[in-house]
Amino acid sequence: MGPGIVILFSLFGVLNGQGGKQISIDECCKDGRVRGIDNQDCTAIPLISESTTCRIVQEQCCAAVLEDNICTSGINMAKEQGVCDTQFTGSTCETKTAKMCCDCCLLGRAAREHGLTCDHSLSLGYQCGLVSRACCDDGAPDVETRNSLVSDKDNETLTEKENPLPNNMCSSGLAKCAQECVGNSTCACFKGYKLKPDGKNCEDINECLLGASNCRGGEHCINTVGSFRCQREVSCGTGYELMDSNNCKDIDECESGTHNCSPDFECQNTQGSFRCLPKNQCGDGYIQDAMGSCIDINECLAQTEPCRPGQLCMNTMGSFTCQRNSINCGRGYHLNDGGNRCVDIDECKGPDGACAGHGCINLVGSFRCECKTGFIFNSISRVCEDINECRHYPGRLCAHKCENVLGSYKCSCTQGFKLASDGRNCDDLNECESSPCSQECANVYGSYQCYCRRGYQLSDIDGINCEDIDECALPTGGHICSYRCNNTPGSFYCTCPATGYTLAPNGRSCQDVDECVTGTHTCSVTESCFNVQGGFRCLSFECPPNYRQAGEIRARVERSDTIRCVKSCQPNDIGCVLDPVHSISHTVISLPTFREFTKPEEIVFLRTMSPAHSSPQLSSDIVFDILEGNVQNSFDIVKRQEHGMIVGVVRQVKPLIGSLNMVLKLAMNYVTSGVVSHRNIVNVHIFVSEFWF
């Protein structure tokens, strides 16, 4: 961008700035460079002049600084890391410029490493060629330039001692060197230049790109033809100009004629600015304004009590008069102690003032309240009124309920929730932590649920307490225990009659105790023990005269046992022989008190030896009959056939309530041709238990 800047500076002139101020093109460029140093958008920088030329200079000088900085960053990346592709990605203009300078610098360094000339003949762009040659020359021995690089401020001309000694070619002018000719007809360049590949012409060295400048901190290097200069990064500011020494000097606007004082004023220079002092002086009662004009002084306002008490001050041109007048002060004013002026009432005086504890600002003839947070000033009633935040922002402040309070608001939660730490949201309250239930508690969102252990049920009244379930009183309670159900808190237990029974392993049923087996009966050795439901009986059976017992007497009688007495007549006992009763038998049965008697119960089977189908010529039959003991006709006897034999079945047809003992006398009549040929008597000893089990 160096040549472009030189061309712009060649257009140096004076332009009209804003407000008529004369602005040079140099100042336009300085402003643009400052904007570029600050990395501002060069296409949207504030203009310091309405001139189109100044705008162009501003934008181009700004863009030159940005492009130099971007290019310098690419060169530094190539020198420090030696790679460009992974460092500069993207498609922005800045990224492309930095990558171009980085790649071109790598190209120059590669040429130097391979021993190639830095002034190659590749058709590169202008800026790429400069960067490539600069990076190629950087670090290589300089045989084409003289000594070292210096700035134009350090040394602008070469001394006589540095001039080369001419030889024959040089003196004859045959070398045709553009700048200098040294021994052996070799051409050389001045400081700030280097020899081109043709060996005769010279081109400028960009000291700023090579880092060969000696600019101080806070200064920016600007390349010039044959040299460079250091410019402050921060401008001097309005009223100052930057000198060649890089220092700021005050601009004497009075001397340069850039002030805007009118003809009636005299310009006086100050550091960074100037003053306009009026040439003419005003008389008493007048004061000069900014334009130098004399205006009247209102002594009634400017002086303290210009008139005596009770008089009214009337201003006149250059003076004032005092007139006696009665004063009626308006709202916000009252008469002063002298009674001649209305003065402002300071409504803010006092412990609370007019704003009742809020901030109070006194105004001329009035006041204004600075309300605290949560209040708003009512301009009509002139008081601070509470803001009802809950009404102004419904549903936005609190998660559940919003309650307005003076100067603020307060959030609360519905039952089952508690206020969160932020004071606005609501968290579920674990009511179970406070043990509200008598037994078990289960927390649910926004509430809780009580439940009871086995054997208890939740109260229908409060839903909290657990009440014992009386299992014995339930509709099915009668079937829980065989005998008696006893309720306990949360449970129950079953019991059996005091004697004759024991509780079964299931804890509910009652089992009969067989005293005959356990040996807990009280029967004598001559008696037989028969177990009944809930007890036992001691039985003793003796055969009547003319009968003898078949079999021996047993100490224990089972239900299936039969004690049988058969007829045994004495000799010549005709009556015994003619008696049709051949045998008398005894059998024992124990029956419960049936709880539900729905059909006849078969209790005794009388089996015969007669076939069911006898010969018709015999015309014989067996007739069964109940002779005695049929209480309330509770029993009957039916004849049936089983396995081809005749069987008499004794049935209980009515319920019997125990305890009850009876003897049912049965007859098995063998009838032949209508006459009972013989008869067998069966005595059934029936013991009905008190209980159904």
Side-chain angles (χ1 to χ4, degrees), residues 567-585:
K567 186 166 66 171
S568 177
C569 295
Q570 296 296 327
N572 302 320
D573 189 349
I574 302 300
C576 176
V577 174
L578 296 177
D579 188 356
V581 178
H582 282 193
S583 67
I584 301 174
S585 301

PDB file of all heavy atoms in Angstrom, residues 567-585:
ATOM      1  N   LYS A 567     -78.182-116.359  70.459  1.00  0.00           N
ATOM      2  CA  LYS A 567     -79.071-117.155  71.335  1.00  0.00           C
ATOM      3  C   LYS A 567     -78.398-118.475  71.695  1.00  0.00           C
ATOM      4  O   LYS A 567     -77.855-119.149  70.839  1.00  0.00           O
ATOM      5  CB  LYS A 567     -80.418-117.386  70.649  1.00  0.00           C
ATOM      6  CG  LYS A 567     -81.436-118.060  71.545  1.00  0.00           C
ATOM      7  CD  LYS A 567     -82.819-117.966  70.963  1.00  0.00           C
ATOM      8  CE  LYS A 567     -82.925-118.767  69.678  1.00  0.00           C
ATOM      9  NZ  LYS A 567     -84.334-118.861  69.205  1.00  0.00           N
ATOM     10  N   SER A 568     -78.536-118.764  72.967  1.00  0.00           N
ATOM     11  CA  SER A 568     -77.998-120.046  73.483  1.00  0.00           C
ATOM     12  C   SER A 568     -79.001-120.579  74.511  1.00  0.00           C
ATOM     13  O   SER A 568     -78.988-120.172  75.690  1.00  0.00           O
ATOM     14  CB  SER A 568     -76.615-119.810  74.120  1.00  0.00           C
ATOM     15  OG  SER A 568     -76.145-121.031  74.660  1.00  0.00           O
ATOM     16  N   CYS A 569     -79.935-121.409  74.031  1.00  0.00           N
ATOM     17  CA  CYS A 569     -81.034-121.892  74.880  1.00  0.00           C
ATOM     18  C   CYS A 569     -80.552-123.058  75.774  1.00  0.00           C
ATOM     19  O   CYS A 569     -79.684-123.859  75.393  1.00  0.00           O
ATOM     20  CB  CYS A 569     -82.205-122.362  74.019  1.00  0.00           C
ATOM     21  SG  CYS A 569     -82.964-121.022  73.064  1.00  0.00           S
ATOM     22  N   GLN A 570     -81.174-123.123  76.933  1.00  0.00           N
ATOM     23  CA  GLN A 570     -80.928-124.256  77.831  1.00  0.00           C
ATOM     24  C   GLN A 570     -81.700-125.484  77.305  1.00  0.00           C
ATOM     25  O   GLN A 570     -82.725-125.365  76.624  1.00  0.00           O
ATOM     26  CB  GLN A 570     -81.407-123.894  79.235  1.00  0.00           C
ATOM     27  CG  GLN A 570     -80.630-122.723  79.854  1.00  0.00           C
ATOM     28  CD  GLN A 570     -79.162-123.046  80.069  1.00  0.00           C
ATOM     29  OE1 GLN A 570     -78.820-124.227  80.361  1.00  0.00           O
ATOM     30  NE2 GLN A 570     -78.301-122.055  79.879  1.00  0.00           N
ATOM     31  N   PRO A 571     -81.252-126.613  77.673  1.00  0.00           N
ATOM     32  CA  PRO A 571     -81.977-127.804  77.189  1.00  0.00           C
ATOM     33  C   PRO A 571     -83.411-127.822  77.703  1.00  0.00           C
ATOM     34  O   PRO A 571     -83.701-127.370  78.821  1.00  0.00           O
ATOM     35  CB  PRO A 571     -81.159-128.962  77.762  1.00  0.00           C
ATOM     36  CG  PRO A 571     -79.789-128.379  78.005  1.00  0.00           C
ATOM     37  CD  PRO A 571     -79.999-126.967  78.372  1.00  0.00           C
ATOM     38  N   ASN A 572     -84.272-128.222  76.875  1.00  0.00           N
ATOM     39  CA  ASN A 572     -85.703-128.369  77.181  1.00  0.00           C
ATOM     40  C   ASN A 572     -86.374-127.031  77.428  1.00  0.00           C
ATOM     41  O   ASN A 572     -87.459-126.966  78.011  1.00  0.00           O
ATOM     42  CB  ASN A 572     -85.927-129.291  78.376  1.00  0.00           C
ATOM     43  CG  ASN A 572     -85.343-130.697  78.164  1.00  0.00           C
ATOM     44  OD1 ASN A 572     -85.446-131.245  77.065  1.00  0.00           O
ATOM     45  ND2 ASN A 572     -84.757-131.274  79.197  1.00  0.00           N
ATOM     46  N   ASP A 573     -85.705-125.884  76.984  1.00  0.00           N
ATOM     47  CA  ASP A 573     -86.349-124.562  77.140  1.00  0.00           C
ATOM     48  C   ASP A 573     -87.082-124.269  75.841  1.00  0.00           C
ATOM     49  O   ASP A 573     -86.512-123.705  74.887  1.00  0.00           O
ATOM     50  CB  ASP A 573     -85.300-123.499  77.447  1.00  0.00           C
ATOM     51  CG  ASP A 573     -85.943-122.178  77.838  1.00  0.00           C
ATOM     52  OD1 ASP A 573     -87.164-122.007  77.684  1.00  0.00           O
ATOM     53  OD2 ASP A 573     -85.174-121.240  78.256  1.00  0.00           O
ATOM     54  N   ILE A 574     -88.386-124.758  75.836  1.00  0.00           N
ATOM     55  CA  ILE A 574     -89.171-124.618  74.602  1.00  0.00           C
ATOM     56  C   ILE A 574     -89.385-123.157  74.266  1.00  0.00           C
ATOM     57  O   ILE A 574     -89.347-122.742  73.098  1.00  0.00           O
ATOM     58  CB  ILE A 574     -90.516-125.377  74.737  1.00  0.00           C
ATOM     59  CG1 ILE A 574     -90.261-126.858  75.035  1.00  0.00           C
ATOM     60  CG2 ILE A 574     -91.353-125.221  73.480  1.00  0.00           C
ATOM     61  CD1 ILE A 574     -89.470-127.596  73.997  1.00  0.00           C
ATOM     62  N   GLY A 575     -89.663-122.335  75.289  1.00  0.00           N
ATOM     63  CA  GLY A 575     -89.911-120.892  75.019  1.00  0.00           C
ATOM     64  C   GLY A 575     -88.723-120.218  74.369  1.00  0.00           C
ATOM     65  O   GLY A 575     -88.875-119.367  73.500  1.00  0.00           O
ATOM     66  N   CYS A 576     -87.542-120.591  74.778  1.00  0.00           N
ATOM     67  CA  CYS A 576     -86.321-119.989  74.177  1.00  0.00           C
ATOM     68  C   CYS A 576     -86.173-120.433  72.739  1.00  0.00           C
ATOM     69  O   CYS A 576     -85.815-119.645  71.863  1.00  0.00           O
ATOM     70  CB  CYS A 576     -85.110-120.408  75.026  1.00  0.00           C
ATOM     71  SG  CYS A 576     -83.535-119.837  74.315  1.00  0.00           S
ATOM     72  N   VAL A 577     -86.509-121.739  72.532  1.00  0.00           N
ATOM     73  CA  VAL A 577     -86.350-122.247  71.166  1.00  0.00           C
ATOM     74  C   VAL A 577     -87.334-121.583  70.230  1.00  0.00           C
ATOM     75  O   VAL A 577     -87.015-121.254  69.076  1.00  0.00           O
ATOM     76  CB  VAL A 577     -86.499-123.773  71.157  1.00  0.00           C
ATOM     77  CG1 VAL A 577     -86.490-124.299  69.729  1.00  0.00           C
ATOM     78  CG2 VAL A 577     -85.399-124.426  71.966  1.00  0.00           C
ATOM     79  N   LEU A 578     -88.539-121.342  70.708  1.00  0.00           N
ATOM     80  CA  LEU A 578     -89.565-120.749  69.834  1.00  0.00           C
ATOM     81  C   LEU A 578     -89.385-119.227  69.664  1.00  0.00           C
ATOM     82  O   LEU A 578     -90.028-118.631  68.802  1.00  0.00           O
ATOM     83  CB  LEU A 578     -90.948-121.061  70.395  1.00  0.00           C
ATOM     84  CG  LEU A 578     -91.331-122.553  70.430  1.00  0.00           C
ATOM     85  CD1 LEU A 578     -92.702-122.738  71.083  1.00  0.00           C
ATOM     86  CD2 LEU A 578     -91.340-123.141  69.036  1.00  0.00           C
ATOM     87  N   ASP A 579     -88.584-118.589  70.490  1.00  0.00           N
ATOM     88  CA  ASP A 579     -88.365-117.114  70.369  1.00  0.00           C
ATOM     89  C   ASP A 579     -87.667-116.831  69.026  1.00  0.00           C
ATOM     90  O   ASP A 579     -86.598-117.396  68.737  1.00  0.00           O
ATOM     91  CB  ASP A 579     -87.501-116.625  71.526  1.00  0.00           C
ATOM     92  CG  ASP A 579     -87.417-115.115  71.559  1.00  0.00           C
ATOM     93  OD1 ASP A 579     -87.953-114.422  70.648  1.00  0.00           O
ATOM     94  OD2 ASP A 579     -86.760-114.547  72.485  1.00  0.00           O
ATOM     95  N   PRO A 580     -88.264-115.963  68.149  1.00  0.00           N
ATOM     96  CA  PRO A 580     -87.682-115.726  66.818  1.00  0.00           C
ATOM     97  C   PRO A 580     -86.372-114.909  66.862  1.00  0.00           C
ATOM     98  O   PRO A 580     -85.673-114.818  65.853  1.00  0.00           O
ATOM     99  CB  PRO A 580     -88.787-114.973  66.086  1.00  0.00           C
ATOM    100  CG  PRO A 580     -89.588-114.324  67.133  1.00  0.00           C
ATOM    101  CD  PRO A 580     -89.540-115.209  68.348  1.00  0.00           C
ATOM    102  N   VAL A 581     -86.080-114.273  67.982  1.00  0.00           N
ATOM    103  CA  VAL A 581     -84.865-113.437  68.031  1.00  0.00           C
ATOM    104  C   VAL A 581     -83.666-114.342  68.125  1.00  0.00           C
ATOM    105  O   VAL A 581     -83.510-115.070  69.131  1.00  0.00           O
ATOM    106  CB  VAL A 581     -84.907-112.463  69.228  1.00  0.00           C
ATOM    107  CG1 VAL A 581     -83.616-111.644  69.267  1.00  0.00           C
ATOM    108  CG2 VAL A 581     -86.116-111.546  69.128  1.00  0.00           C
ATOM    109  N   HIS A 582     -82.851-114.350  67.118  1.00  0.00           N
ATOM    110  CA  HIS A 582     -81.661-115.203  67.069  1.00  0.00           C
ATOM    111  C   HIS A 582     -80.430-114.501  67.634  1.00  0.00           C
ATOM    112  O   HIS A 582     -79.536-115.168  68.175  1.00  0.00           O
ATOM    113  CB  HIS A 582     -81.385-115.643  65.640  1.00  0.00           C
ATOM    114  CG  HIS A 582     -82.293-116.751  65.184  1.00  0.00           C
ATOM    115  ND1 HIS A 582     -82.077-117.487  64.037  1.00  0.00           N
ATOM    116  CD2 HIS A 582     -83.425-117.269  65.723  1.00  0.00           C
ATOM    117  CE1 HIS A 582     -83.040-118.382  63.901  1.00  0.00           C
ATOM    118  NE2 HIS A 582     -83.879-118.264  64.907  1.00  0.00           N
ATOM    119  N   SER A 583     -80.320-113.148  67.457  1.00  0.00           N
ATOM    120  CA  SER A 583     -79.133-112.426  67.953  1.00  0.00           C
ATOM    121  C   SER A 583     -79.508-111.008  68.364  1.00  0.00           C
ATOM    122  O   SER A 583     -80.477-110.436  67.864  1.00  0.00           O
ATOM    123  CB  SER A 583     -78.049-112.384  66.878  1.00  0.00           C
ATOM    124  OG  SER A 583     -78.466-111.586  65.789  1.00  0.00           O
ATOM    125  N   ILE A 584     -78.731-110.546  69.346  1.00  0.00           N
ATOM    126  CA  ILE A 584     -78.863-109.139  69.797  1.00  0.00           C
ATOM    127  C   ILE A 584     -77.471-108.509  69.670  1.00  0.00           C
ATOM    128  O   ILE A 584     -76.515-108.985  70.307  1.00  0.00           O
ATOM    129  CB  ILE A 584     -79.382-109.062  71.240  1.00  0.00           C
ATOM    130  CG1 ILE A 584     -80.756-109.738  71.356  1.00  0.00           C
ATOM    131  CG2 ILE A 584     -79.446-107.620  71.704  1.00  0.00           C
ATOM    132  CD1 ILE A 584     -81.279-109.830  72.789  1.00  0.00           C
ATOM    133  N   SER A 585     -77.396-107.444  68.857  1.00  0.00           N
ATOM    134  CA  SER A 585     -76.083-106.792  68.609  1.00  0.00           C
ATOM    135  C   SER A 585     -76.092-105.360  69.141  1.00  0.00           C
ATOM    136  O   SER A 585     -77.148-104.714  69.250  1.00  0.00           O
ATOM    137  CB  SER A 585     -75.764-106.795  67.114  1.00  0.00           C
ATOM    138  OG  SER A 585     -75.740-108.115  66.619  1.00  0.00           O
TER     139      SER A 585
END
